[in-house]
Amino acid sequence: LHTRSTPLRGVGETRLGTLIVFNDVTRMRRLENMRRDFAANASHEMRTPLTCIKGAVETILLEKEALLENHGRFYTIIEKNVDRMSQLIEDLLELSRIEQQQLGSLPLNPSSVDAVVESSLVLLAGNAASKEVAIDVSGDTGVQAFFDPMLLERAVVNLLDNAIKYSPAKSTVTVAVEKIAHRVEIRVSDQGCGISAEHIPRLFERFYRVDSARSRKLGGTGLGLAIVKHVMHLLQGDVLLESTPDKGSTFTLVLKG
Ligand code: ADP
């Protein structure tokens, strides 16, 4: 809180009292801290893959004379880290594109929820197959809700991608659609590691992860849920989470139906 006080004087310099101005700077300071944290986190996230790439290139240059096949694993390191950087930049751009959209500026027309679920499943079929994770679709069919299909697909894809990533091999991920009065819910459930209660309040923040090493190893940028949160805000809906450690999680997208 910033306070400023000025003496209040009447005619002939008689002192009438003191004017005190309280200025609540908590919100401004919080925004400033968030901006600073974001710049620091984003730089840190980019520095790590760059350091790996530089290390691999230096090794190749030092060992110029070595047989070409010895260089194979360094090229793999370079490729993996270039992919990681690209994904991070893609996600950062996506997040800033979504953030720049004004709330209410997006036309939210009645659209088919089934079509978005279908197209999201197509995009993740490969990931699911390589982990032998089955994806079950259940619930209401033929449901319409108010949303922008591209944006909703992004949210569903991010949730499905996480559900597959944080699940054990050969488990099942479920996508359930339900229309409840003027609301449509899309629930993505997994039988994975779950999330303990203390992490839940911060989980949708950019770069917040329960286990950073695990997330990075699985190819995560730490931005997926922040994107989901922003998308659902733009769609004038919401995202909810219920989770039990070691049992699994259910993320629910709520839309206007
Ligand atoms: P990431 O790219 O790290 O997956 P996200 O923003 O998508 O970033 O998710 C943030 C963190 O939330 C993840 O690092 C992970 O710890 C946790 N998380 C997200 N989805 C799940 C899930 N289905 N099961 C368990 N943990 C999850």
Side-chain angles (χ1 to χ4, degrees):
L1 202 70
H2 269 176
T3 54
R4 208 159 24 94
S5 64
T6 321
L8 266 186
R9 296 192 195 285
V11 202
E13 289 297 290
T14 47
R15 191 168 170 146
L16 296 175
T18 309
L19 179 72
I20 302 181
V21 180
F22 293 99
N23 217 335
D24 186 359
V25 290
T26 330
R27 203 181 116 76
M28 270 161 59
R29 201 160 282 160
R30 208 174 50 221
L31 279 176
E32 187 46 44
N33 284 346
M34 274 168 64
R35 254 195 293 272
R36 218 180 14 234
D37 285 355
F38 177 63
N41 285 335
S43 318
H44 178 74
E45 294 292 332
M46 289 192 206
R47 203 169 55 188
T48 317
L50 278 177
T51 309
C52 295
I53 293 167
K54 187 153 169 49
V57 170
E58 278 172 0
T59 312
I60 290 170
L61 291 175
L62 269 174
E63 294 180 359
K64 272 206 285 279
E65 309 302 320
L67 286 175
L68 211 58
E69 58 256 42
N70 284 348
H71 290 166
R73 74 193 168 93
F74 296 108
Y75 291 128
T76 311
I77 293 174
I78 294 170
E79 191 193 22
K80 214 178 82 198
N81 284 283
V82 167
D83 287 348
R84 201 167 132 189
M85 283 279 291
S86 310
Q87 187 60 55
L88 183 64
I89 290 165
E90 283 302 315
D91 281 358
L92 281 171
L93 283 173
E94 174 93 27
L95 197 56
S96 85
R97 260 197 301 269
I98 298 169
E99 277 182 342
Q100 270 164 28
Q101 288 260 10
Q102 293 288 330
L103 188 66
S105 68
L106 202 70
L108 301 180
N109 298 314
S111 313
S112 155
V113 174
D114 292 352
V116 170
V117 171
E118 281 288 310
S119 61
S120 309
L121 290 180
V122 169
L123 289 173
L124 285 157
N127 291 16
S130 61
K131 255 185 113 169
E132 293 183 60
V133 167
I135 306 185
D136 273 4
V137 181
S138 68
D140 301 338
T141 52
V143 173
Q144 299 257 318
F146 291 87
F147 59 85
D148 172 276
M150 295 266 282
L151 280 178
L152 182 65
E153 183 187 275
R154 182 70 204 226
V156 175
V157 163
N158 283 7
L159 293 185
L160 273 173
D161 184 30
N162 281 347
I164 298 166
K165 263 192 332 199
Y166 299 106
S167 283
K170 299 191 166 79
S171 61
T172 301
V173 167
T174 311
V175 184
V177 177
E178 194 179 355
K179 181 159 167 72
I180 311 154
H182 292 294
R183 198 168 92 226
V184 172
E185 292 192 358
I186 306 172
R187 289 191 289 273
V188 178
S189 310
D190 64 60
Q191 303 168 326
C193 58
I195 301 149
S196 58
E198 81 252 32
H199 295 291
I200 293 181
R202 299 197 58 196
L203 207 70
F204 292 88
E205 287 176 19
R206 303 149 183 202
F207 298 120
Y208 187 85
R209 294 152 164 135
V210 174
D211 177 345
S212 297
R214 179 166 187 212
S215 152
R216 289 205 185 90
K217 215 169 81 197
L218 295 170
T221 60
L223 294 171
L225 289 182
I227 292 175
V228 173
K229 181 97 195 164
H230 274 88
V231 163
M232 295 318 290
H233 178 67
L234 268 185
L235 299 183
Q236 298 168 37
D238 206 353
V239 51
L240 313 170
L241 165 61
E242 286 164 78
S243 188
T244 313
D246 302 322
K247 284 236 155 43
S249 312
T250 297
F251 286 82
T252 303
L253 301 178
V254 184
L255 293 163
K256 289 210 241 177

